[in-house]
Amino acid sequence: MEGRTHVVGAGLAGLACAVRLARAGVAVTLHEAAGHAGGRCRSYHDPVLDCEIDNGNHLILSGNRAMLSYLADCGAEDELWGPDEALVPFLDLQTGERWTIHPNKGRVPWWLASPSRRAPDGGLRDHLGDLMRMRRAGADSTVTELVGHSPLYRRFWKPLAVSILNTPAEQASAALLRRTMEESLALGGSACRPLFPRHSLGRTFVDPALTALRALGTEICLGNRLRTIGQDNGSMACLDFTGGEIRLGDSDRLVLAVPSDAARRLLPDLSALGQPFAQSPILNAHFRLDQPMELPGGLPFVGVTGSEWVEWIFVRGEMLSVTLSAAGERTGETAETIAPAVWREVQAALSIADRPLPPCRIVTEKRATIAQTPAQAARRPAATAPGGNIMLAGDWTDTGLPCTIEGAIRSGHRVAELILTGSARPDAG
């Protein structure tokens, strides 16, 4: 293929696009404003904890086919591990109850008939009725409007919606939740096995991609922010980076795999689509224990309901991490306030009241995702941007999925497909 593709943004969307194009023999230059790749899915050495931590926790499922394809492209298929069956443990901090969502492998959901495999509230009729209502979710429905009356709401639908959509269930798009379920629960337990990085997010999703790109001859420019896109008679003519200006040939292409606000700044035509997207934060607390901990049941994670600060608990070696999605007003509190409050709930959940507060790092991603409401979901732009040979990639674009690792990677693959098939040409419409 003639010309060069400039991929701006080295988060998962940009990395997925660049790897797919480079493997197809396309000349690619990858640009990133930060001094590191990975975006919101990365790892780094924390001086307080004196170890490598992830900037956030991600629950990955075996049905995330784009993610698995991306790891195969990067030669990193073995960087994930997980149980042989679909097992998602929960505990209720208020009542002390524990249960495990345990779908069977096949598509026929006979697991719903087994009280030991489903949520403790409600019976088979409640589960089937809710699933049927979810299958009919319209574009304007919220999760609470659809299933808020259900006995399963507090301990199944609400935590599911918040963790997947990073949006309060009262505001979250039921249609986006339905799309996720169509690619997981609806396919049976074989698509619902939880998967975890063996070492870190960086060593699983970022480092192998950079290694693969370098081996394929891709030029990688970190610390190189795109300031403006120069136009000439309505066509893209040059890219003004902090590292210098790049003149573009007629066959060159640009992929903007940047956050929504950056894309709006660089492409004024996007601003005509309406107000900036509202953002939703995620709060993570990382504790370094004095020795490795094993959670009840032997799995490295557990979901928590009836809690003020804790949504998920993850353990890996001496690291115990807590995630709170749709953190909202919690992000305004100080780390000195957050750490002991989170630790008290962890102690209660894991019955470890005798352990003092360990060293802790609070990581708040104030712009973790866009708020995934019905109104904002309807505004997500397509991959083909106005203004010539420019494409958009990112979990905030219209992928049909929520803003997740799977959605980000799928957006990168979609843009690569459009370029490779010629659909990204200015005369392709």
Side-chain angles (χ1 to χ4, degrees):
M1 175 177 288
E2 294 183 2
R4 176 170 292 273
T5 297
H6 294 272
V7 178
V8 178
L12 288 187
L15 289 172
C17 181
V19 170
R20 185 60 57 89
L21 289 174
R23 286 180 62 85
V26 177
V28 177
T29 300
L30 178 65
H31 309 268
E32 168 57 47
H36 53 78
R40 290 160 293 152
C41 181
R42 63 186 180 89
S43 308
Y44 58 93
H45 184 271
D46 182 81
V48 172
L49 304 180
D50 192 26
C51 65
E52 184 181 45
I53 65 172
D54 298 330
N55 69 327
N57 299 301
H58 297 268
L59 186 58
I60 308 161
L61 297 179
S62 54
N64 294 158
R65 63 180 187 274
M67 178 272 300
L68 294 175
S69 177
Y70 166 73
L71 292 183
D73 283 348
C74 299
E77 305 97 316
D78 296 333
E79 285 296 326
L80 292 177
W81 73 279
D84 293 332
E85 297 184 78
L87 299 167
V88 183
F90 283 91
L91 66 88
D92 191 315
L93 199 60
Q94 294 180 355
T95 67
E97 287 181 271
R98 295 180 179 272
W99 65 96
T100 298
I101 304 298
H102 186 184
N104 56 282
K105 290 185 177 180
R107 289 179 179 240
V108 179
W110 60 260
W111 66 277
L112 293 175
S114 173
S116 65
R117 286 176 171 257
R118 66 190 191 213
D121 302 308
L124 175 61
R125 185 184 297 251
D126 298 305
H127 283 75
L128 291 176
D130 286 356
L131 290 173
M132 291 302 295
R133 278 184 285 275
M134 189 58 64
R135 288 185 62 183
R136 298 192 295 267
D140 297 329
S141 301
T142 68
V143 174
T144 299
E145 287 171 348
L146 212 60
V147 292
H149 64 284
S150 169
L152 303 172
Y153 177 72
R154 187 178 78 84
R155 297 204 283 192
F156 183 75
W157 291 114
K158 185 175 182 178
L160 190 70
V162 172
S163 61
I164 292 175
L165 301 177
N166 188 34
T167 304
E170 297 82 2
Q171 305 166 20
S173 166
L176 283 177
L177 182 60
R178 169 178 57 81
R179 288 297 300 272
T180 300
M181 297 185 68
E182 287 172 349
E183 298 192 11
S184 53
L185 276 176
L187 300 180
S190 59
C192 300
R193 291 190 302 110
L195 300 174
F196 309 94
R198 292 189 183 277
H199 304 103
S200 68
L201 290 175
R203 284 194 263 178
T204 299
F205 292 102
V206 182
D207 297 346
L210 295 177
T211 299
L213 288 170
R214 291 187 179 106
L216 291 165
T218 300
E219 183 182 9
I220 300 174
C221 304
L222 301 179
N224 196 33
R225 181 180 299 276
L226 179 59
R227 296 185 293 202
T228 59
I229 301 172
Q231 301 283 326
D232 184 9
N233 294 324
S235 298
M236 183 178 63
C238 65
L239 304 176
D240 179 23
F241 288 96
T242 53
E245 184 178 278
I246 297 176
R247 303 296 299 181
L248 299 170
D250 293 340
S251 300
D252 291 343
R253 296 158 296 273
L254 171 64
V255 177
L256 285 181
V258 296
S260 60
D261 286 351
R264 288 168 59 89
R265 175 180 59 80
L266 292 164
L267 295 177
D269 286 343
L270 282 180
S271 297
L273 299 179
Q275 295 297 314
F277 285 106
Q279 305 289 318
S280 187
I282 294 178
L283 186 149
N284 294 278
H286 301 284
F287 300 93
R288 183 165 188 181
L289 309 177
D290 54 8
Q291 59 184 1
M293 173 182 288
E294 183 171 312
L295 297 179
L299 292 172
F301 77 120
V302 62
V304 181
T305 64
S307 169
E308 186 176 359
W309 286 97
V310 178
E311 176 192 8
W312 295 94
I313 299 174
F314 297 85
V315 295
R316 186 169 63 216
E318 297 175 354
M319 291 301 304
L320 183 148
S321 299
V322 170
T323 293
L324 180 66
S325 299
E329 69 278 2
R330 296 295 181 195
T331 60
E333 303 195 34
T334 65
E336 290 74 20
T337 299
I338 295 172
V342 173
W343 185 245
R344 282 192 294 270
E345 293 200 347
V346 169
Q347 288 178 303
L350 304 182
S351 301
I352 52 173
D354 57 332
R355 295 203 182 194
L357 176 67
C360 177
R361 169 67 74 184
I362 304 298
V363 179
T364 302
E365 289 281 352
K366 292 187 177 181
R367 308 175 75 80
T369 68
I370 65 171
Q372 296 172 86
T373 65
Q376 293 215 137
R379 295 178 50 229
R380 295 164 74 183
T384 50
N389 214 3
I390 303 175
M391 310 293 287
L392 295 176
D395 62 9
W396 59 278
T397 63
D398 187 11
T399 65
L401 292 175
C403 299
T404 57
I405 285 178
E406 178 71 4
I409 292 174
R410 194 170 297 186
S411 77
H413 285 171
R414 172 58 175 159
V415 168
E417 177 188 353
L418 291 172
I419 291 172
L420 291 172
T421 58
S423 302
R425 295 193 309 269
D427 60 350

